[in-house]
Amino acid sequence: MPKPLPVRAAALAATAVLLSAAAAGCGGDDTKDRKDPKADDLTAQRLTWKDCPAPAQSEGGGPAPSPLPDGELWECATLKAPLDWGDPDGDTIGIALIRARTSGTDGERIGSLIFNFGGPGGSGVTTLPAFAGEYEKLRTRYDLVSFDPRGVGRSAGVKCEDDEQLDEYFQQDATPDDTAEQRKLVDNTRAFNAACEDNSARVLPRVRTTDAARDLDLMRQVLGDDELHYFGISYGTELGGVYAHLFPKNVGRAVFDAVVDPTQDPEQGALGQARGFQLALDNYAKDCTSQVEDCPVGDTAQDVKDRIAKLLADLEKKPLPGVFPRDLTQTAATGGIAQSLYSKDFWEYLTEGLQQAYDGDGKILMTLSDSMNGRDQDGRYSNIQAANVAINCADDKPRYTPDDVVSRLPRFRAASPLFGDYLAWSMVSCTDWAVAGAADHPDVGAPGAAPILVVGNTGDPATPYEGTRKMVDALGPGVGVELTYKGQGHGAYDSGDPCVRESVDGYLLDRKVPSSGTVCP
């Protein structure tokens, strides 16, 4: 069972579905600024930009992107990149790109600002237009660009199980209580992983974050920029850190928001997420019970959490009707609750979903869970979870057995009574994966790189705040510039906080580097 995705796009998807219905290690490559023989040919390619089609189902589906506020249309193109960066004269793959041209004049234009919104597994081609309003000020001096990283969406997207199989996979008991349930979970994981190998063997060894970082540098050159201007969110901060390590001289103006801790192995990362989601749940419960009107899901913060725990225990014995014909299981409810904690804007949906579940109806919580898993209302899945598993397993060297998980359960339960088991058992996702993992954690050391603005949110559930300082330290002296946002939810810039916006915009637009240690608000 994949762990909750540290991707801001997932929260957006939840909103869209609800309104219509009712993270990592990588590395293992210390070669910096390498010049590959075929690189000159690839950097000379000319992109053919066309009006954007509707997103493919692997990207999440939906309509073609709406025009920009000034009436300009989004443009899409495909970048040709080596399938194997170790063999640049071999086969190539297409990397799907999307662009909004700058609204400023040629004299004001800085270059392209490339976004990665996280996951790993999130489609930038789908996500950038959805958040375009948040970045309109940045478009005054940049072409806004995003992409489907290799293995994602239309960029040689990883395929695993079909929609019917995925419905069953995401309904399974992800928190086994005995040996038989453990065996079933592992068997299901092996079946999922075998399907990935059967359907995507060609690309599975080539979706490491180091590969995506090399794609970024190729993208920079083909777009005509001397430096990479970059905005990475969640897993995008890890990708940005790996890029800075491999190409420190090519770093331009870069922002890392919702920072992945680059020093953690998968176990430490899952444990950190357990603490982060528990903190977010604590904050939700306190907020709900501090309102002027009574909190409809509990009298005190502890009562709110106790009632949620009882709901989950009851669901293990007897699921509730969910999104027909499926039931709301304990696993689906846990995922739905986690999804609602990605943004404070979704706390109202959590309250409504809990009220509904206490009345015997699981639709809202299940809709939230579906959003996390990339399932639309018609029962079709994007490849976000397949790509997430493939990239994590290619990056992460450790492999965990059920015995490993059982021995660590006390620590996870201490970190989070609600999410501990769920995240501990997520560590078996790479059991029997076809490709060996690259490293325990990514190498992001980037001595000599330009300043990188590293933004952390103290209430972030998916990428806990402590990772911000770890990233700053790992980048090296004089590179990481720390900015703290005291808020809730996953990420800081999209919160709309004026202090964060002013600091980030001033840096990206005017190269005004804030003092490291600045705190907002």
Side-chain angles (χ1 to χ4, degrees), residues 63-382:
S66 300
L68 290 145
D70 57 3
E72 289 295 315
L73 298 178
W74 291 90
E75 300 175 326
C76 287
T78 301
L79 175 78
K80 186 185 294 185
L83 170 64
D84 179 2
W85 274 103
D87 180 21
D89 292 320
D91 294 342
T92 61
I93 58 173
I95 304 296
L97 306 181
I98 190 166
R99 176 176 73 176
R101 285 186 176 273
T102 180
S103 60
T105 65
D106 288 343
E108 296 170 323
R109 183 182 181 275
I110 296 171
S112 296
L113 180 61
I114 302 178
F115 290 78
N116 181 281
F117 294 93
S123 166
V125 171
T126 301
T127 307
L128 181 58
F131 280 105
E134 302 286 346
Y135 307 113
E136 187 62 21
K137 186 172 182 179
L138 299 177
R139 194 165 74 93
T140 60
R141 301 200 67 189
Y142 291 99
D143 295 339
L144 305 185
V145 178
S146 195
F147 63 107
D148 291 352
R150 56 175 58 217
V152 176
R154 290 190 290 113
S155 298
V158 174
K159 298 178 181 178
C160 297
E161 295 184 327
D162 62 28
D163 293 340
E164 185 177 347
Q165 291 170 317
L166 288 172
D167 270 349
E168 184 176 349
Y169 182 67
F170 290 124
Q171 288 288 88
Q172 69 178 311
D173 186 350
T175 55
D177 300 313
D178 54 41
T179 302
E181 291 182 354
Q182 292 173 19
R183 187 180 303 115
K184 186 174 182 180
L185 175 65
V186 172
D187 286 347
N188 289 341
T189 301
R190 285 173 173 158
F192 177 90
N193 293 354
C196 299
E197 183 177 10
D198 289 344
N199 295 315
S200 303
R202 176 173 176 262
V203 298
L204 293 186
R206 312 301 175 201
V207 296
R208 294 190 171 103
T209 300
T210 48
D211 297 316
R214 295 193 182 284
D215 293 341
L216 268 179
D217 202 59
L218 175 62
M219 200 180 305
R220 170 191 68 80
Q221 295 173 77
V222 172
L223 290 170
D225 291 331
D226 293 331
E227 300 174 319
L228 179 75
H229 306 300
Y230 179 77
F231 201 132
I233 301 167
S234 196
Y235 162 79
T237 68
E238 183 175 317
L239 173 58
V242 170
Y243 178 90
H245 171 70
L246 293 175
F247 304 101
K249 298 176 183 177
N250 297 345
V251 174
R253 306 180 197 184
V255 174
F256 296 173
D257 185 6
V259 186
V260 173
D261 186 340
T263 69
Q264 293 182 333
D265 62 24
E267 177 187 347
Q268 293 166 331
L271 190 61
Q273 279 201 328
R275 296 190 186 100
F277 278 98
Q278 186 64 46
L279 174 63
L281 182 67
D282 293 345
N283 290 336
Y284 159 76
K286 292 175 184 175
D287 181 80
C288 186
T289 55
S290 68
Q291 303 299 320
V292 176
E293 298 180 5
D294 291 339
C295 176
V297 291
D299 296 328
T300 65
Q302 188 60 51
D303 185 41
V304 171
K305 291 181 287 185
D306 288 344
R307 291 191 68 191
I308 293 174
K310 184 179 185 304
L311 171 67
L312 295 178
D314 290 344
L315 287 171
E316 184 171 28
K317 301 172 185 176
K318 185 179 180 180
L320 293 173
V323 177
F324 184 82
R326 297 167 302 138
D327 290 331
L328 178 72
T329 62
Q330 181 191 60
T331 297
T334 305
I337 293 167
Q339 176 72 332
S340 69
L341 296 174
Y342 273 84
S343 170
K344 190 173 181 179
D345 292 341
F346 299 148
W347 288 2
E348 62 179 293
Y349 299 125
L350 176 55
T351 298
E352 187 176 352
L354 290 171
Q355 285 182 282
Q356 190 184 72
Y358 295 147
D359 289 335
D361 187 344
K363 286 189 182 68
I364 291 179
L365 289 182
M366 194 158 197
T367 300
L368 283 160
S369 180
D370 285 347
S371 174
M372 175 175 286
N373 295 328
R375 187 187 194 273
D376 68 16
Q377 290 177 270
D378 296 321
R380 300 172 301 179
Y381 286 84
S382 73

Side-chain angles (χ1 to χ4, degrees), residues 451-469:
I452 296 172
L453 186 56
V454 183
V455 189
N457 181 352
T458 58
D460 198 314
T463 51
Y465 171 69
E466 292 75 14
T468 308
R469 175 57 60 85

